[in-house]
Amino acid sequence: MNIEYVKSVIRNVPDFPKPGIQFKDITTALKDPKALSFMIDHLYEYYKDKGITKVAGIESRGFIIGPALAARLGAGFVMIRKPGKLPADTIQKSYALEYGEDTIEMHKDAIGENDVVLVHDDLLATGGTALAALELVQEVGAKSVLVNFLIELAFLDGTARLSSAEDVYAMIKY
């Protein structure tokens, strides 16, 4: 089992959600027990000695691998969600989209000053959502922040926007 195997089971969906987009569908890798186990094991091996105390998953696909990885690392899991989905006091961060703006939020008390946080999502494209999540975690005073993706669309250079992270890692690059 290796990264090439996982890459081979990720479905490419042309023209979704709009013409010209080649959507990388991870559901085919998630339903494959060997690929799913490999992804979690691979990320655990990469992060096991980095002192991670919290994994912050970005809604919604960051909620799939994020909690499993947090459990393996002996860390807590924090949800970064769209507005109005979390029940207690939150902080928000808005960011620009191609046509407009969006907002994400997390609980104010989810992360402390001694936490080493891994922000996790399934895919990095232009980096807008990931940058907003990184800034949210930094704003609450995390000790350090790392960022991780299952897939990076490297030709969009989203990692350039995440330079304030201690580390940015994507398991698979297209």
Side-chain angles (χ1 to χ4, degrees):
M1 183 58 54
N2 58 32
I3 290 173
E4 288 306 312
Y5 175 79
V6 175
K7 200 172 180 179
S8 77
V9 298
I10 293 172
R11 178 175 27 211
N12 187 64
V13 182
D15 299 320
F16 182 83
K18 61 184 185 178
I21 302 290
Q22 298 293 315
F23 186 82
K24 303 302 180 196
D25 179 12
I26 66 165
T27 64
T28 49
L30 295 172
K31 74 178 183 177
D32 181 312
K34 293 182 290 187
L36 178 60
S37 291
F38 177 83
M39 289 187 289
I40 294 166
D41 291 346
H42 178 84
L43 294 176
Y44 169 76
E45 288 298 322
Y46 187 87
Y47 290 105
K48 69 181 180 183
D49 297 323
K50 298 192 185 288
I52 306 295
T53 59
K54 301 273 174 60
V55 174
I58 301 173
E59 185 170 344
S60 67
R61 288 182 295 254
F63 294 178
I64 300 168
I65 299 293
L69 181 57
R72 284 285 305 276
L73 291 169
F77 182 74
V78 174
M79 292 185 278
I80 297 178
R81 301 207 64 187
K82 296 180 183 194
K85 303 287 185 180
L86 296 170
D89 290 339
T90 61
I91 61 167
Q92 294 186 335
K93 185 61 95 174
S94 294
Y95 58 99
L97 295 170
E98 192 173 335
Y99 300 103
E101 188 175 270
D102 208 350
T103 302
I104 55 174
E105 64 183 19
M106 71 179 193
H107 282 133
K108 285 182 181 178
D109 63 356
I111 293 169
E113 63 185 22
N114 293 319
D115 280 320
V116 175
V117 180
L118 174 62
V119 174
H120 169 76
D121 205 0
D122 69 321
L123 185 127
L124 173 63
T126 61
T129 307
L131 177 60
L134 171 62
E135 290 174 347
L136 260 182
V137 171
Q138 290 171 328
E139 188 176 314
V140 296
K143 182 177 177 180
S144 63
V145 187
L146 302 87
V147 184
N148 159 260
F149 307 92
L150 296 175
I151 298 170
E152 176 188 355
L153 302 179
F155 62 92
L156 295 174
D157 200 26
T159 56
R161 298 180 76 183
L162 306 175
S163 61
S164 66
E166 184 177 310
D167 181 57
V168 178
Y169 176 72
M171 190 174 78
I172 296 171
K173 294 184 183 198
Y174 289 99

